[in-house]
């Protein structure tokens, strides 16, 4: 199969617009450092055009029966599945993750469209008995209006699909700005939606300088809802912008996932699954496991097994057969990981494996295990978003919970134990929106996905996912 990359466009009002007379930014293959293409940046006039188209499309799309919307979304899911071999390669080329990960991601993106196609048919209201017999009281759920969506580069298929599928099923048009680092994957999904029959203007895709685009879109009175996945500082900024226009926003802002490994757990399984999960997507996953808190009596044994499982992982170009861990996705991430590891080591952390860049082209960093990391190390506070696992001992459940809940993040947490009481207690007291007990599989279209505390608010996916794109209207009639 060829390594051909797709041409890049803006997608505005049903038209594919190339880079002619527009600024661009390069898209780099993180495994080789080579430039794959140049993504066009939308001008302020392009964005105005998109906003007008969105306003017009809303009138049409809200009137389209949920059943008809569902047909288009299901057809799009089929097209994503048909075109999966191509989209998966685009994803690995521009993002770097192993092809097996891209395969899972594209399949999951299709699932989201199928799931929300059906959920769109169930946006029920209710009839409330009146105090006066001649009055009829209806509570209706209606689409909230045009949506501005901002998605990052780490999951260029799943994250846009999770937002688009729910918004479109609810009857809302969307202007999405995916990460400029990985534009082709989201454009390929947009092409599936267009080919499935989505009318012009219902979905539009723009790129550019993120801050300028979000400022213009969020300030527009056309936009009635904002959704963002990315870092806490940017989430805070966009929430403030949305507040200016009293617009609701959903935020999914990353985490610092603790894993509580109790001495009674199956340590082989915990180490194998833990290492696979921590280094999956090169650790650039918001629900990734970061801090492994291990009960003291099991700590040395677990560390040994975890290091062995880490060293067995195959690192390389995501397109090479057998690769499990690809490069970091960009130079910023590589520099950040180097700085975090250097800082931790300077403060006394022990490197059990890794701890360095890998030779050759691309943004490769060795899967790294750090033990006994001091509390003042930056990596104990900042989301590493890269291939670093932290190992720390604990004595009792209460101690583990204090450490697990110490940070302002609250996205994911995991527990490994054979004791049902420990599992229930830890599950109840961990401050996280998603908790895995004895496993790590959390991203499924039919389940809610979201966090608490500074990890954000507004679960996406599951029955909850469509709620944010609906507004409640009460109609009383005599
Ligand atoms: P960033 O915060 O600068 O960017 C994250 C995403 O937000 C990117 O797609 C970017 O285009 C977009 N963005 C940035 N500023 C924006 C603005 N003013 N308006 C609208 N969109 C904007 O971070 P980064 O350098 O790409 O990554 C740094 C850190 O962010 C990572 O190390 C990680 O901690 C976090 N992050 C989290 C997720 C997640 O899934 N929650 C995804 C990507 C990055």
């Amino acid at each position: 199969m060829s390594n051909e990359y797709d041409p890049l466009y803006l997608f505005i009002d049903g038209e594919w617009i190339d880079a002619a007379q527009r600024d661009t930014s390069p898209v780099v293959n993180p495994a080789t450092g080579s430039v794959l293409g140049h993504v066009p940046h939308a001008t302020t006039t392009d964005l105005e055009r998109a906003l007008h188209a969105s306003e017009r499309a809303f009138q049409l799309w809200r009137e389209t029966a949920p059943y008809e919307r569902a047909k288009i979304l299901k057809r799009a899911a089929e097209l994503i599945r048909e075109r999966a071999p191509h989209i998966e390669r685009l994803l690995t080329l521009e993002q770097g993750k192993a092809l097996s990960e891209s395969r899972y991601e594209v399949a999951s993106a299709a699932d989201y469209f199928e799931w929300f196609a059906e959920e769109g048919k169930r946006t029920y209201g209710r009839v409330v008995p009146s105090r006066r017999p001649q009055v009829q009281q209806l509570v209706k759920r209606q689409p909230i209006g045009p949506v501005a969506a901002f998605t990052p580069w780490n999951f260029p298929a799943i994250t846009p699909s999770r937002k688009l599928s729910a918004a479109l099923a609810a009857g809302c048009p969307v202007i999405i700005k995916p990460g400029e680092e990985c534009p082709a994957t989201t454009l390929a999904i947009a092409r599936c939606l267009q080919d499935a029959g989505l009318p012009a203007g219902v979905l539009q895709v723009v790129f550019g300088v993120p801050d300028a685009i979000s400022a213009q879109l969020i300030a527009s009175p056309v936009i009635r809802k904002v959704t963002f996945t990315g870092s806490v500082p940017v989430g805070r900024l966009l929430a403030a912008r949305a507040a200016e226009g009293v617009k609701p926003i959903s935020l999914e802002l990353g985490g610092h996932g603790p894993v509580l490994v109790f001495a009674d757990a199956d340590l082989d399984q915990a180490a194998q699954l833990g290492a696979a999960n921590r280094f999956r997507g090169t650790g650039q996953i918001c629900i990734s496991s970061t801090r492994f808190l291990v009960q003291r009596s099991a700590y040395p044994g677990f560390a040994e097994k975890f290091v062995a499982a880490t060293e067995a992982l195959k690192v390389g170009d995501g397109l090479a057969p057998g690769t499990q861990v690809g490069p970091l996705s960009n130079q910023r991430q590589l520099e950040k990981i180097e700085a975090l590891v250097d800082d931790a080591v300077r403060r006394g952390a022990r490197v059990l494996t890794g701890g360095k860049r890998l030779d050759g082209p691309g943004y490769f960093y060795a899967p790294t295990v750090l033990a006994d990391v001091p509390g003042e190390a930056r990596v104990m506070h900042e989301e590493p978003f890269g291939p670093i696992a932290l190992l720390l001992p604990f004595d009792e459940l209460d101690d583990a919970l204090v450490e697990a809940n110490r940070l302002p993040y609250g996205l994911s947490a995991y527990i490994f134990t054979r004791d049902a009481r420990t599992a229930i207690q830890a599950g109840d007291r961990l401050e996280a929106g998603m908790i895995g007990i004895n496993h790590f599989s959390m991203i499924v279209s039919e389940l809610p996905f979201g966090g608490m505390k500074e990890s954000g608010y507004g679960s996406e996916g599951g029955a909850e996912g469509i709620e944010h794109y609906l507004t409640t209207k009460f109609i009383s009639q005599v």
Side-chain angles (χ1 to χ4, degrees):
M1 250 190 216
S2 80
N3 286 350
E4 233 170 75
Y5 192 63
D6 279 0
L8 300 171
Y9 302 99
L10 305 169
F11 182 47
I12 296 178
D13 201 6
E15 193 187 332
W16 298 90
I17 299 170
D18 67 21
Q21 289 156 4
R22 284 176 178 77
D23 291 342
T24 62
S25 52
V27 180
V28 174
N29 178 342
T32 62
S34 62
V35 173
L36 295 163
H38 290 86
V39 65
H41 286 196
T43 62
T44 52
T45 313
D46 289 329
L47 296 181
E48 275 314 309
R49 185 176 164 210
L51 286 162
H52 284 306
S54 211
E55 193 173 28
R56 193 197 61 232
F58 183 41
Q59 302 315 319
L60 168 78
W61 193 237
R62 67 184 302 171
E63 299 300 332
T64 305
Y67 190 82
E68 295 304 317
R69 289 183 213 140
K71 278 197 216 160
I72 294 174
L73 297 182
K74 280 196 222 170
R75 177 71 190 129
E78 280 169 22
L79 289 175
I80 292 170
R81 288 180 184 128
E82 278 171 24
R83 298 174 192 178
H86 178 66
I87 303 174
E88 290 155 12
R89 293 181 77 80
L90 289 178
L91 205 165
T92 290
L93 278 173
E94 62 184 10
Q95 204 279 344
K97 64 179 66 174
L99 197 55
S100 56
E101 295 289 337
S102 298
R103 194 162 291 143
Y104 151 78
E105 190 179 339
V106 174
S108 178
D111 287 352
Y112 276 100
F113 285 100
E114 191 174 291
W115 167 260
F116 279 111
E118 291 298 325
E119 285 301 285
K121 298 175 186 172
R122 290 187 273 272
T123 55
Y124 306 132
R126 61 192 197 279
V127 180
V128 181
S130 165
R131 296 181 183 203
R132 294 189 291 151
Q134 66 278 31
V135 175
Q136 191 190 47
Q137 303 179 143
L138 295 182
V139 179
K140 294 185 82 171
R141 306 284 283 142
Q142 294 189 323
I144 193 165
V147 175
F150 302 91
T151 54
W153 41 263
N154 58 332
F155 277 97
I158 286 185
T159 309
S161 298
R162 193 152 49 206
K163 296 180 191 304
L164 295 177
S165 53
L168 297 177
C172 301
V174 184
I175 304 176
I176 187 168
K177 192 207 78 60
E180 282 66 28
E181 294 86 347
C182 301
T185 304
T186 316
L187 286 171
I189 289 171
R191 182 81 72 173
C192 292
L193 282 152
Q194 185 189 36
D195 292 347
L198 196 73
V202 176
L203 167 62
Q204 303 181 90
V205 188
V206 297
F207 301 97
V209 176
D211 193 50
I213 295 196
S214 64
Q216 188 176 345
L217 292 184
I218 297 173
S220 165
V222 170
I223 296 300
R224 293 311 322 159
K225 161 81 190 173
V226 183
T227 174
F228 171 74
T229 298
S231 62
V232 175
V234 175
R236 205 173 268 130
L237 172 76
L238 299 199
R241 286 185 177 157
E244 281 291 315
V246 197
K247 298 174 188 186
I249 182 167
S250 302
L251 296 170
E252 196 270 280
L253 304 178
H256 203 292
V259 185
L260 277 53
V261 182
F262 290 86
D264 66 12
D266 179 337
L267 295 183
D268 287 311
Q269 188 196 40
Q272 282 294 334
L273 295 181
N277 179 268
R278 168 67 284 205
F279 300 109
R280 194 180 151 208
T282 321
Q284 303 171 119
I285 301 183
C286 49
I287 60 168
S288 204
S289 43
T290 299
R291 284 168 293 158
F292 287 79
L293 315 178
V294 188
Q295 205 157 23
R296 201 171 297 276
S297 63
Y299 187 67
F302 178 83
E304 200 176 306
K305 291 174 196 294
F306 191 87
V307 168
T310 301
E311 289 176 345
L313 293 168
K314 187 163 180 234
V315 183
D317 186 324
L319 290 179
T323 292
Q324 290 165 290
V325 182
L328 286 152
S329 288
N330 52 58
Q331 183 71 26
R332 296 193 301 286
Q333 287 300 113
L334 182 61
E335 286 166 6
K336 180 175 163 191
I337 294 306
E338 274 193 310
L340 287 177
V341 172
D342 291 351
D343 170 78
V345 170
R346 208 172 36 249
R347 293 174 196 269
R350 287 188 296 128
V351 180
L352 300 189
T353 186
K356 57 180 187 319
R357 271 185 196 211
L358 296 176
D359 291 338
Y363 310 132
F364 287 95
Y365 196 91
T368 296
V369 182
L370 300 179
D372 311 332
V373 187
E376 64 275 17
R378 279 177 54 202
V379 71
M380 288 288 282
H381 305 268
E382 296 173 32
E383 179 179 31
F385 222 60
I388 312 173
L390 311 176
L391 304 190
L392 303 151
F394 73 87
D395 292 305
E396 299 299 332
L397 171 64
D398 283 352
D399 308 323
L401 288 170
V402 168
E403 168 55 27
N405 294 336
R406 172 180 58 87
L407 292 174
Y409 294 108
L411 192 62
S412 64
Y414 306 91
I415 305 155
F416 280 79
T417 180
R418 286 189 173 104
D419 184 80
R421 219 165 49 157
T422 304
I424 290 167
Q425 278 197 35
D428 278 349
R429 292 169 61 194
L430 279 167
E431 295 171 357
M434 291 170 280
I435 295 184
I437 301 180
N438 295 322
H439 80 122
F440 289 98
S441 308
M442 307 294 275
I443 310 181
V444 189
S445 58
E446 59 271 32
L447 290 170
F449 185 94
M452 54 173 70
K453 296 162 77 179
E454 289 186 16
S455 290
Y457 41 78
S459 281
E460 304 185 288
E464 288 81 358
I466 201 162
E467 288 297 315
H468 319 293
Y469 300 104
L470 296 169
T471 188
T472 300
K473 186 182 275 179
F474 163 49
I475 302 176
S476 180
Q477 185 181 356
V478 180

